[in-house]
Amino acid sequence: MENDFHHPLFMLQLGRFLNGMLLPEDPVHFAIMCRLVSALSGVLIVALLFFLSKEDQGEWPALIASFGLAVSPIMVVHAHYFKEDVLFTCCAMITLLALWHFLRNQKPLTALGLGFALGLALSTQYKGLLLVLLVLIAPIFTRGFQI
């Protein structure tokens, strides 16, 4: 239960939370819970791809893209390991979906959701800083933007 800083703290704490809720404290159970976090993140990535694609392409192309991702070897293999890449991709896609909804419906609740999603992405990997830049410049490239 010590932090070795080889993984982001959000990922470790999420695994510890699940481990504390579901299983007795044991290093083996902790490893299982951490791998479960990665696996569930991988499943959520497939669902998020469907929702992001459906907004622009329609249901059938989104379903085909999601199926292709679900059976791709890189996704299947990476979702089995406790690495921050899968969790970051999941949080980044949540951020993109929240940004899409914020740009379409600029209300305080959508802004709060975007901020929460961006915070999750930032807490999983330092590459989340690129999402901050994207969120800041996205309104410039949308219709009806007012300075």
Side-chain angles (χ1 to χ4, degrees):
M1 298 305 284
E2 294 179 11
N3 294 325
D4 58 7
F5 300 106
H6 292 278
H7 294 291
L9 288 178
F10 175 66
M11 209 165 80
L12 292 173
Q13 294 298 343
L14 192 56
R16 287 182 184 133
F17 174 75
L18 287 175
N19 190 41
M21 295 291 292
L22 301 176
L23 296 170
E25 291 186 25
D26 179 23
V28 174
H29 291 147
F30 177 64
I32 291 169
M33 284 298 109
C34 291
R35 289 181 74 175
L36 181 65
V37 167
S38 290
L40 292 177
S41 297
V43 170
L44 193 55
I45 288 171
V46 174
L48 288 167
L49 178 65
F50 174 78
F51 290 119
L52 282 169
S53 301
K54 187 179 83 164
E55 295 285 339
D56 189 45
Q57 302 296 318
E59 286 186 14
W60 280 105
L63 190 61
I64 292 168
S66 299
F67 177 76
L69 179 64
V71 298
S72 70
I74 194 163
M75 186 61 171
V76 173
V77 170
H78 277 77
H80 282 84
Y81 298 114
F82 187 55
K83 292 284 293 167
E84 63 271 6
D85 300 328
V86 176
L87 187 60
F88 171 72
T89 303
C90 181
C91 292
M93 291 181 77
I94 291 171
T95 303
L96 292 175
L97 191 61
L99 177 62
W100 180 276
H101 286 292
F102 173 73
L103 291 174
R104 292 179 75 205
N105 187 9
Q106 297 178 2
K107 292 187 176 178
L109 189 59
T110 58
L112 183 67
L114 176 59
F116 182 75
L118 188 59
L120 285 177
L122 284 169
S123 68
T124 56
Q125 209 171 46
Y126 66 91
K127 291 182 241 181
L129 289 172
L130 295 173
L131 287 171
V132 173
L133 181 63
L134 177 67
V135 167
L136 290 175
I137 66 170
I140 296 170
F141 297 105
T142 59
R143 284 187 245 147
F145 178 74
Q146 299 173 5
I147 297 178

